[in-house]
Amino acid sequence: MTRTGIYRSRSGTPDSKTSAGNDGGGGGGGTTVMRVIVPLQGVVQGRGGLVLGSVIPCAFFYFLQFYLKRNRRDEPVSESDPANQDSGSYPENSGSSSPTQSELNGLSRSLSRVIISPRSSGAHVSVSGRANSILKGGDTPYHVGLKRVAEDPYDELGNPDGIIELGLAQNKLSSDLVSDQNSIGLSLSGIASYEPSDGLMELKMVVAKLMSEATKNSVCFDPSQLVLTSGAASAIEILSFCLADSGNAFLVPTPCSPGFHVDVKWRNGVEIIHVPCRSSDNFNISVTALDRTFSQAKKRGVRIRGIIISNPSNPMGRLLSRENLYALLDFAREKNIHIISNEIFACSIHGDEEAEFVSIAEIADTEENLDKERVHIVYDLSKDLSFPGLRAGAIYSFNENVLAASRKLTTLSPVSSPSQHLLMSAISKPEFLQTYVKTNRQRLQRIYSEFVKGLKGLGIECTRSNGGLFCWADMRGLISSYSEKGEIELWNKFLDIGKFNVTPGSCCHCIEPGWFRFCFSNLSEKDVLVVMNRIRKVCVTCKSQN
Amino acid sequence: MRLIVPLRGVIQGRGGLFVGSLIPCCLFYFLQLYLKRRRPPPTDPTELPRTSSRTNLFSRGNSIGRVRVSSRAVPVAKPSDSPYYIGLERVKTDPYDRIKNTDGIIQLGLAESTLCFDLLQRWMSENLMESMMQSDDGEFDISSIAMYKPFEGLLELRVAFADFMSRIMGGNVSFDPSNMVITAGGTPAIEVLAFCLADHGNAFLIPTPYYPGFDRDIKFRTGVELIPVHCRSSDNFTVTVSALEQALNQARKRGSKVSGILFSNPSNPVGNILSRETLQDILRFAQEKNIHVISDEIFAGSVYGDKEFVSMAEIAGSGEFDKSRVHIIYGLSKDLSIPGFRAGVIYSFHEDVVNAAKKLMRFSSVPVPVQRILISLLSDVRFIEEYMTAHRQRIRDKHIRFVEGLKQLGIPCAESGGGLYCWVDMSSLLTSYSEKGELELFEKLLTVAKINATPGTACYCIEPGWFRCCFTALADEDIPVIMERIRQLRESSRS
């Protein structure tokens, strides 16, 4: 409690005075707290002395109070009821018995810092601090781009000058296959009443089959280890809630999917520690880098609970090899942490015949010492089936506790029954799954090679990719300054001049500027030409400026 | 708190810098002394050079064993000990069926209604696929339902929802679609609101008895506490401002920060409808204390008594109050009997809450195909009118039958005017007038009489002997079966 008190007052949160006593979940305070504790630790370890250990915090307190006292003079001073605030029982109550009165008294009541805090103003009731941080967050170029497209979307006939969407990972190539299957109707009895919120067993069986299909049946997924959620975002959120406490962290190799941060942090208060990968390594994850980051975080006192990877990787679109996965699992075992593998694009493979998707479940299955409990998989039915509007994701875990907790938490983000029945009617035919996976692969392959060829024609190289709905393009030659600013400038040009939206590398937390993620699965072959023309237009303006 | 008090004295100009520093200084001294004495015996420095720091000791220590889940997931994973959930689980193992399993357990614990399934069935069979697949120009376009759409719900749906809500609430209040966020059911709606209105460790006041699901919805992830405000049968379980005031004062004395009041109207489990005056009192109280008001109006369309239902939105819109603290939860699970659709709504007058909730909907939005179905369902005014009339009428009939049956056994019910349940006073069946006696009766109802009803303890009722019985999933012929089972139970316990 002592530490919390110091930390909160220093950061100037005025209402901490009323809430410090029960503040249990102040995430992110780790580093600040550490500094205060350092003298203490000396004592604990037997070095330093009791006196020194006491004098330093004492001095801190002195200066803190001095600072607070000086600051107070700057505020408008007027008479208020100090006894009332002293007791601490009615910090929000004094003199606001009626709305009109509180408006009139609005200014005169601002003597104490307690009263200045947003909670106590009579006129406006405030939202929670964590809601405020959500309100502010999320305005990255990724979201701004999506918003711009929504305002002025490209349409071949209706709006040929509109903005083309290349930033959103959705697949339009194979949706005709799914809709053909939808001719099977829904009946009311199945969809209206309460169903288990973690998904119908029938659907879980189909999902397990689909996941096996993605690995060419080399793994057999057990439907009882599946929990269905409303989309992959909530699957990751639920997993991170179950695996980490507020203030703990996950390691995430970057560049990574732009959404992780939101899913892990917003409501769970779990931090993400990036492990940057570089173009010189072809953006491969290196265990040495993971190890280094792990030790650094530990030194800072941050507890790492797991590592999140995407396979196929997002935004690079590369499949992880068996060796990679073994290395990662070994690393996780050595550090005794969890591993979350995000396999939402498992069926969206577009590489040649050798490109083979290996699920981490397969690696876990081959383990002899039954150390599977640390392995968790996130899957998204709706992405792979080109049906993101259905909002159906899944958690596959080998850990009974995680499964039990997740099942209960799905009431908070359930898949609706009509969705479940639609999915079942669409994918329960065995021959459909095979056809779908095969056709989808062919179509992705075609559009991918077309797109990359087009970019190459403009002198833009992409990293070699074989999975996912995107390619990772190196546009370092086009940015005016080699910095994040230069990258955002170029991105703005894409939007304003080129009229297309892509995801800049900075949204994927790439440390090297100038990389962009292009989602090509939104496009028809005809669109590819349009996009290339638009990119050329931007290239020309860039070069003329240079 | 103790530590901060000297500080505050200084800030307000009393006390001195010196005293303010000395006290924490002393506390630190004793803390260190304590830590020093409790320090574990030093390990061999040559063998394990890195374990001297406490951080290291901590995570190294369990690396040999199994990997752990987070400490907050542990209570979630544990089987629930609330009778509400125990009962629901038990019914699943042996559900009653009129023909196939006549000895099974009859479900009176789940608030769902099958009364108007015939009407819904008709509508769905006529319109279901069409409503989902139809786009504006009449041609089916898969991308209109397959692709990403705004998470807060399509504007058409929000408009339809607003119309529907004002229709079932008697047309006295209109709802603005821009204040509305569509959620995947009432459960996520309440969680998101709790998250947005209170920080971890803050609390809501909640009049008891309350819906047992709130515990999960609110406490599981948001870390918000619920402080019960006890209501009694002598007031017919209606909340009073003085009780609220008292609970608030006690909470503040304990150092809890109260962020709002949460209540359901029509109340769950009692079925009370709050009067206009009570609502005004609550809002006035909230305004005075500067806290939020969350009104759960999920049963607003299931009103069967003579008493008129008044939405908190109407009170807030009267101009007399500051609206921004009022938040309403609504959903279609109860009033339209389509819980499987998981369609709910947050209606808030606070712009920040609406915006934060919109963003959070990435975790629990309603699938687009479902939204399409709902748009056509809610916009079919003729059907909705027919449905709502039938729905109310049938609940009323069922309620009369059920209450009458209990009355013949000499078991009274609390006066109620809404909801899919009634609040039954079974204290005459208790062996001892206590919580223990009530749970014994609950167990006997489950095992002997094979009836699952929610005991008052699960709803934090302070008077023992009350049970919530949901009657809307029953057929008329089930009611005599239930009454007979209760009668037998009573006789066997008397003899």
Side-chain angles (χ1 to χ4, degrees):
Chain A
M1 197 173 90
T2 316
R3 299 176 220 149
T4 323
I6 294 166
Y7 161 60
R8 292 291 227 101
S9 332
R10 286 169 106 216
S11 64
T13 312
D15 64 0
S16 67
K17 288 182 185 70
T18 49
S19 71
N22 52 23
D23 184 341
T31 48
T32 326
V33 172
M34 270 315 282
R35 255 176 283 155
V36 183
I37 285 175
V38 170
L40 245 185
Q41 206 169 315
V43 174
V44 172
Q45 286 164 12
R47 284 174 293 122
L50 285 184
V51 177
L52 196 64
S54 308
V55 167
I56 296 174
C58 177
F60 269 123
F61 255 88
Y62 182 84
F63 287 117
L64 169 71
Q65 291 179 50
F66 201 60
Y67 171 78
L68 287 178
K69 202 174 178 182
R70 288 192 68 161
N71 263 23
R72 188 168 54 90
R73 299 221 177 94
D74 302 335
E75 288 151 12
V77 178
S78 76
E79 277 312 312
S80 174
D81 182 12
N84 203 2
Q85 285 129 34
D86 255 355
S87 70
S89 57
Y90 284 107
E92 297 149 24
N93 187 22
S94 48
S96 61
S97 50
S98 81
T100 38
Q101 199 185 342
S102 72
E103 267 165 36
L104 287 174
N105 296 351
L107 272 175
S108 65
R109 287 175 58 237
S110 57
L111 168 69
S112 135
R113 290 179 81 83
V114 186
I115 282 186
I116 291 175
S117 91
R119 276 248 148 259
S120 37
S121 71
H124 287 290
V125 65
S126 70
V127 300
S128 68
R130 51 193 180 184
N132 263 327
S133 62
I134 289 173
L135 282 173
K136 279 177 216 137
D139 282 334
T140 61
Y142 177 72
H143 296 97
V144 175
L146 297 183
K147 214 178 282 168
R148 285 282 295 275
V149 176
E151 282 160 11
D152 181 23
Y154 171 80
D155 186 284
E156 201 182 324
L157 306 170
N159 187 12
D161 285 338
I163 303 175
I164 299 180
E165 180 62 274
L166 295 167
L168 192 60
Q170 63 180 6
N171 184 356
K172 283 187 183 165
L173 303 174
S174 308
S175 44
D176 57 323
L177 295 177
V178 180
S179 67
D180 280 349
Q181 300 289 322
N182 271 338
S183 49
I184 307 157
L186 293 172
S187 73
L188 174 73
S189 56
I191 60 177
S193 47
Y194 275 108
E195 306 267 5
S197 62
D198 63 316
L200 299 165
M201 198 55 193
E202 297 98 300
L203 180 59
K204 286 185 187 173
M205 278 153 68
V206 185
V207 174
K209 214 185 287 171
L210 178 66
M211 289 168 75
S212 299
E213 188 66 40
T215 60
K216 301 224 170 80
N217 293 318
S218 60
V219 193
C220 187
F221 287 90
D222 178 358
S224 66
Q225 283 168 239
L226 268 173
V227 174
L228 302 187
T229 64
S230 73
S234 54
I236 295 176
E237 189 189 37
I238 288 174
L239 267 182
S240 58
F241 178 89
C242 293
L243 303 182
D245 282 303
S246 176
N248 295 165
F250 283 119
L251 295 180
V252 176
T254 61
C256 64
S257 159
F260 277 163
H261 189 73
V262 164
D263 300 343
V264 170
K265 182 144 192 212
W266 266 4
R267 288 203 291 196
N268 293 331
V270 178
E271 302 292 326
I272 280 188
I273 297 181
H274 296 304
V275 183
C277 304
R278 290 162 193 285
S279 58
S280 51
D281 301 333
N282 215 10
F283 294 107
N284 278 324
I285 307 172
S286 88
V287 173
T288 354
L290 285 174
D291 200 47
R292 197 169 46 232
T293 318
F294 187 87
S295 328
Q296 278 168 359
K298 211 165 172 181
K299 255 180 223 150
R300 279 187 289 133
V302 178
R303 181 146 185 219
I304 307 276
R305 301 298 294 249
I307 165 167
I308 309 181
I309 52 165
S310 294
N311 181 22
S313 69
N314 183 358
M316 284 80 70
R318 192 177 310 114
L319 292 164
L320 297 183
S321 68
R322 242 183 214 101
E323 291 72 43
N324 284 342
L325 292 171
Y326 271 118
L328 286 166
L329 197 56
D330 284 341
F331 173 75
R333 180 167 323 115
E334 189 198 321
K335 306 292 182 196
N336 194 28
I337 55 176
H338 293 272
I339 183 160
I340 301 177
S341 176
N342 180 24
E343 304 186 348
I344 62 175
F345 295 109
C347 280
S348 309
I349 308 299
H350 56 72
D352 47 29
E353 285 307 307
E354 287 149 41
E356 178 200 13
F357 170 72
V358 184
S359 167
I360 193 131
E362 189 186 327
I363 310 293
D365 268 338
T366 55
E367 288 301 309
E368 283 152 13
N369 59 357
L370 296 172
D371 184 35
K372 296 181 190 176
E373 287 188 328
R374 65 182 79 252
V375 176
H376 317 276
I377 296 171
V378 171
Y379 188 63
D380 192 340
L381 280 152
S382 30
K383 282 256 181 191
D384 258 354
L385 287 173
S386 341
F387 220 138
L390 265 191
R391 311 297 302 157
I395 294 170
Y396 187 82
S397 170
F398 293 95
N399 191 318
E400 269 312 313
N401 280 330
V402 171
L403 288 172
S406 308
R407 277 190 201 114
K408 289 194 192 163
L409 291 174
T410 49
T411 52
L412 302 165
S413 21
V415 213
S416 71
S417 302
S419 271
Q420 299 196 47
H421 285 266
L422 263 181
L423 276 170
M424 263 194 296
S425 67
I427 59 177
S428 54
K429 290 181 184 166
E431 70 275 23
F432 165 75
L433 276 187
Q434 279 165 9
T435 332
Y436 177 82
V437 172
K438 212 171 113 194
T439 320
N440 190 34
R441 184 171 180 148
Q442 282 165 1
R443 292 182 185 177
L444 280 172
Q445 224 158 17
R446 200 164 54 223
I447 204 92
Y448 169 74
S449 54
E450 195 95 351
F451 197 84
V452 172
K453 207 169 72 193
L455 285 178
K456 204 165 199 172
L458 298 172
I460 297 165
E461 291 292 335
C462 295
T463 58
R464 214 172 67 84
S465 78
N466 40 23
L469 311 174
F470 24 72
C471 56
W472 185 235
D474 176 7
M475 301 196 144
R476 283 178 288 184
L478 295 179
I479 54 179
S480 54
S481 70
Y482 189 70
S483 65
E484 192 179 319
K485 194 166 152 261
E487 182 179 289
I488 298 297
E489 267 171 29
L490 180 60
W491 175 74
N492 273 321
K493 275 185 207 157
F494 287 154
L495 261 181
D496 297 334
I497 303 168
K499 295 252 175 195
F500 59 91
N501 175 41
V502 292
T503 313
S506 54
C507 291
C508 304
H509 306 280
C510 182
I511 50 162
E512 295 177 21
W515 292 85
F516 287 84
R517 184 183 81 162
F518 285 82
C519 298
F520 50 78
S521 54
N522 275 326
L523 305 174
S524 67
E525 274 164 70
K526 231 189 279 170
D527 294 334
V528 174
L529 289 177
V530 181
V531 172
M532 292 308 150
N533 281 331
R534 293 188 178 190
I535 298 178
R536 181 174 298 123
K537 208 159 98 187
V538 178
C539 289
V540 170
T541 48
C542 285
K543 275 172 191 149
S544 68
Q545 276 174 4
N546 291 351
Chain B
M1 275 315 281
R2 255 175 289 151
L3 253 188
I4 286 173
V5 171
L7 245 184
R8 201 192 286 184
V10 173
I11 293 170
Q12 287 163 11
R14 285 178 298 119
L17 284 185
F18 181 69
V19 181
S21 308
L22 196 64
I23 296 173
C25 175
C26 291
L27 283 175
F28 254 89
Y29 182 85
F30 287 117
L31 171 69
Q32 290 178 54
L33 205 67
Y34 171 77
L35 284 177
K36 201 176 177 183
R37 293 188 66 163
R38 296 223 347 187
R39 194 172 49 195
T43 41
D44 189 355
T46 52
E47 213 176 339
L48 288 164
R50 288 177 59 232
T51 43
S52 56
S53 137
R54 290 180 83 83
T55 359
N56 265 339
L57 255 181
F58 194 44
S59 53
R60 282 264 161 221
N62 43 27
S63 71
I64 311 128
R66 295 158 47 172
V67 67
R68 292 208 190 160
V69 299
S70 68
S71 53
R72 56 188 176 184
V74 175
V76 177
K78 263 195 232 151
S80 176
D81 54 1
S82 160
Y84 175 67
Y85 291 105
I86 293 172
L88 294 182
E89 288 301 316
R90 287 280 283 279
V91 176
K92 270 187 217 157
T93 59
D94 180 23
Y96 172 79
D97 189 290
R98 222 161 295 132
I99 299 145
K100 289 180 219 145
N101 188 12
T102 47
D103 281 342
I105 304 174
I106 300 180
Q107 176 69 286
L108 297 175
L110 191 63
E112 70 177 332
S113 160
T114 50
L115 299 175
C116 292
F117 262 21
D118 54 328
L119 298 179
L120 276 174
Q121 182 83 51
R122 199 187 70 217
W123 189 90
M124 297 277 175
S125 60
E126 282 165 10
N127 304 304
L128 186 60
M129 291 313 282
E130 204 181 317
S131 63
M132 191 166 53
M133 301 301 189
Q134 199 94 36
S135 65
D136 303 334
D137 47 10
E139 258 180 55
F140 172 54
D141 176 11
I142 181 85
S143 64
S144 72
I145 57 168
M147 294 305 148
Y148 280 117
K149 299 284 172 196
F151 289 134
E152 73 265 26
L154 301 164
L155 181 62
E156 296 108 291
L157 179 59
R158 282 181 283 141
V159 171
F161 240 111
D163 284 349
F164 176 73
M165 283 168 70
S166 95
R167 189 178 298 275
I168 59 158
M169 293 176 186
N172 296 329
V173 53
S174 65
F175 292 89
D176 179 356
S178 62
N179 287 348
M180 199 176 263
V181 177
I182 308 284
T183 64
T187 312
I190 182 87
E191 191 197 27
V192 166
L193 265 185
F195 184 90
C196 292
L197 302 181
D199 280 306
H200 195 283
N202 295 169
F204 288 141
L205 297 180
I206 180 164
T208 65
Y210 66 81
Y211 165 57
F214 279 151
D215 274 339
R216 279 193 177 189
D217 303 352
I218 294 178
K219 288 186 195 164
F220 264 1
R221 290 203 294 201
T222 65
V224 175
E225 308 288 330
L226 293 178
I227 296 177
V229 181
H230 293 296
C231 305
R232 288 163 196 282
S233 56
S234 50
D235 304 330
N236 199 28
F237 298 103
T238 309
V239 67
T240 58
V241 169
S242 57
L244 285 172
E245 179 103 45
Q246 201 184 353
L248 184 80
N249 289 346
Q250 279 170 358
R252 284 189 172 162
K253 257 181 218 150
R254 281 199 312 270
S256 299
K257 185 171 166 190
V258 173
S259 307
I261 308 170
L262 165 66
F263 60 90
S264 40
N265 180 27
S267 85
N268 182 359
V270 181
N272 269 340
I273 293 173
L274 298 185
S275 67
R276 194 178 290 272
E277 291 71 37
T278 311
L279 292 172
Q280 282 167 343
D281 287 346
I282 292 175
L283 188 51
R284 201 170 293 124
F285 172 79
Q287 187 155 305
E288 200 177 291
K289 307 295 180 193
N290 195 29
I291 56 181
H292 293 276
V293 173
I294 305 172
S295 173
D296 170 15
E297 303 183 352
I298 200 150
F299 292 102
S302 306
V303 171
Y304 50 78
D306 307 323
K307 214 166 161 191
E308 178 207 19
F309 171 81
V310 182
S311 169
M312 198 49 148
E314 192 183 330
I315 310 290
S318 65
E320 194 187 330
F321 299 98
D322 161 36
K323 295 196 277 197
S324 66
R325 67 186 74 247
V326 175
H327 318 277
I328 289 160
I329 293 166
Y330 186 66
L332 300 178
S333 305
K334 312 294 182 185
D335 287 351
L336 271 186
S337 335
I338 46 171
F341 277 63
R342 312 261 177 198
V345 68
I346 295 172
Y347 188 83
S348 170
F349 292 99
H350 200 297
E351 203 186 330
D352 289 347
V353 173
V354 173
N355 288 333
K358 275 182 188 173
K359 287 188 174 178
L360 287 173
M361 275 313 117
R362 88 185 248 114
F363 303 116
S364 45
S365 65
V366 178
V368 189
V370 179
Q371 293 195 40
R372 294 273 170 212
I373 301 173
L374 290 176
I375 292 171
S376 3
L377 179 64
L378 295 180
S379 333
D380 188 342
V381 175
R382 211 167 47 91
F383 169 76
I384 293 292
E385 286 292 340
E386 184 192 351
Y387 175 91
M388 288 318 298
T389 319
H391 180 66
R392 288 198 179 115
Q393 185 59 48
R394 291 178 190 183
I395 302 179
R396 184 177 301 139
D397 293 349
K398 196 71 79 188
H399 179 251
I400 292 171
R401 266 171 209 274
F402 194 81
V403 171
E404 190 55 38
L406 287 171
K407 208 175 193 175
Q408 280 170 11
L409 295 172
I411 297 172
C413 294
E415 204 180 303
S416 64
L420 307 177
Y421 35 74
C422 54
W423 187 234
V424 185
D425 178 8
M426 300 213 192
S427 52
S428 59
L429 298 176
L430 295 181
T431 46
S432 70
Y433 188 74
S434 65
E435 191 182 314
K436 192 164 153 267
E438 183 183 291
L439 289 175
E440 272 169 25
L441 179 59
F442 166 69
E443 197 55 40
K444 259 193 270 174
L445 281 170
L446 257 183
T447 48
V448 183
K450 300 236 171 191
I451 292 170
N452 174 41
T454 313
T457 332
C459 307
Y460 299 88
C461 183
I462 47 164
E463 297 178 18
W466 292 89
F467 282 78
R468 187 185 80 158
C469 298
C470 305
F471 51 78
T472 47
L474 302 174
D476 283 347
E477 56 264 40
D478 294 338
I479 295 179
V481 179
I482 295 167
M483 298 310 154
E484 182 56 27
R485 288 183 180 191
I486 296 178
R487 200 182 55 78
Q488 278 175 8
L489 177 76
R490 188 169 58 184
E491 266 160 35
S492 70
S493 59
R494 265 185 199 160
S495 57

